[in-house]
Amino acid sequence: MKTKPFALGLALACLVAAAGAADSPLPKENVFATKPLGIRVSIKMDGPYMEAADLQLICLFTHKASGDTYHGAAKETDAHLGGILSALRKRGEFVGELGETFLFTPPKDSIPAKRFMVIGLGEEKDLSLDSLRVVGRLAAREAVRLKAKHVAWAPVIRDEGNTTIEVGEGDRAFIEQMLSAYDTEKRLQAQALAPEFSIESVVIEAGPAFFESAVKQVGEGIASVTAELGKREAAPYISTGK
């Protein structure tokens, strides 16, 4: 029996593709051994258009009438998503106030994430670590609400042209408050005040220039918030006494 040319060509193409995938290096990643609250937390050298997350999060400032800044990962992500981020901002349909969110399903064959959420940072001049603490709390609660087991976050603040906050410090503020809010969610669940659900992994995406700082600061943040959570009052939220 002769092999058909098309079938042979397809088989060879598959072999070449498989070999290429095997040779592609995986993005650099630092996984923290502590697994706070049972979550696999890591710093990964990739962008928000690369991670196969159940929920991909980024932050954007309030829209500027003079034009928004997009560099690096912010620009690439908008391009992969067909320009939806810039379109919603230009049309005034996403203002970007602190804590404002919008959620959408990425277009087919655009990025690996199943769902994409943008969280507003407010006016650029008002950016502070407290802004990122708000983002961290929102990230935990939205992940639980949406039942997203695998969560990824990229601040993309540098890619919007802002250098106010050191990247590692911002990542630390985010993870501390995300874990704090998630601890509350788990306590509510334990007291039958919320449906059972667990986040399994959180990836903080960082560029090469900021990777080491993010690893250091997030590691310290995990240790700090873990100690603080151990001091929380253990009594139920609802008093049953009369």
Side-chain angles (χ1 to χ4, degrees), residues 136-219:
R137 293 192 292 272
L138 271 171
R141 289 169 182 147
E142 287 297 299
V144 171
R145 181 178 71 85
L146 296 168
K147 299 193 182 307
K149 292 183 178 180
H150 304 290
V151 181
W153 177 66
V156 300
I157 292 171
R158 281 289 194 277
D159 296 322
E160 294 178 76
N162 187 284
T163 59
T164 302
I165 294 174
E166 198 278 322
V167 174
E169 291 180 1
D171 291 343
R172 173 174 178 164
F174 170 86
I175 198 64
E176 285 179 341
Q177 289 302 300
M178 183 178 190
L179 292 172
S180 180
Y182 181 64
D183 180 73
T184 300
E185 294 291 333
K186 296 305 290 182
R187 289 169 186 262
L188 288 167
Q189 293 176 23
Q191 295 172 40
L193 298 172
E196 286 287 334
F197 177 76
S198 295
I199 298 172
E200 294 182 6
S201 68
V202 172
V203 173
I204 296 177
E205 295 152 341
F210 311 111
F211 185 86
E212 296 303 330
S213 173
V215 169
K216 178 179 182 295
Q217 293 281 353
V218 170

Side-chain angles (χ1 to χ4, degrees), residues 1-46:
M1 181 179 175
K2 293 183 179 180
T3 303
K4 294 182 179 181
F6 175 76
L8 179 59
L10 181 61
L12 288 171
C14 290
L15 285 171
V16 170
D23 292 338
S24 299
L26 293 174
K28 185 176 180 180
E29 184 175 22
N30 182 91
V31 180
F32 297 96
T34 49
K35 291 194 74 172
L37 303 174
I39 300 175
R40 179 188 186 273
V41 178
S42 69
I43 308 297
K44 196 170 184 179
M45 199 182 290
D46 65 1

Side-chain angles (χ1 to χ4, degrees), residues 72-199:
K75 184 177 181 180
E76 288 293 323
T77 301
D78 193 39
H80 277 81
L81 293 170
I84 185 174
L85 303 179
S86 51
L88 284 164
R89 297 174 87 187
K90 288 177 181 176
R91 297 178 190 185
E93 294 173 39
F94 176 72
V95 177
E97 293 178 352
L98 180 60
E100 180 184 358
T101 64
F102 79 83
L103 173 73
F104 62 92
T105 301
K108 185 179 180 182
D109 299 325
S110 59
I111 64 173
K114 294 178 182 177
R115 282 176 290 188
F116 199 101
M117 177 174 283
V118 179
I119 301 176
L121 281 174
E123 295 283 349
E124 185 173 353
K125 64 180 177 60
D126 298 327
L127 179 67
S128 69
L129 289 175
D130 283 337
S131 307
L132 293 174
R133 293 182 179 109
V134 171
V135 172
R137 293 192 292 272
L138 271 171
R141 289 169 182 147
E142 287 297 299
V144 171
R145 181 178 71 85
L146 296 168
K147 299 193 182 307
K149 292 183 178 180
H150 304 290
V151 181
W153 177 66
V156 300
I157 292 171
R158 281 289 194 277
D159 296 322
E160 294 178 76
N162 187 284
T163 59
T164 302
I165 294 174
E166 198 278 322
V167 174
E169 291 180 1
D171 291 343
R172 173 174 178 164
F174 170 86
I175 198 64
E176 285 179 341
Q177 289 302 300
M178 183 178 190
L179 292 172
S180 180
Y182 181 64
D183 180 73
T184 300
E185 294 291 333
K186 296 305 290 182
R187 289 169 186 262
L188 288 167
Q189 293 176 23
Q191 295 172 40
L193 298 172
E196 286 287 334
F197 177 76
S198 295
I199 298 172

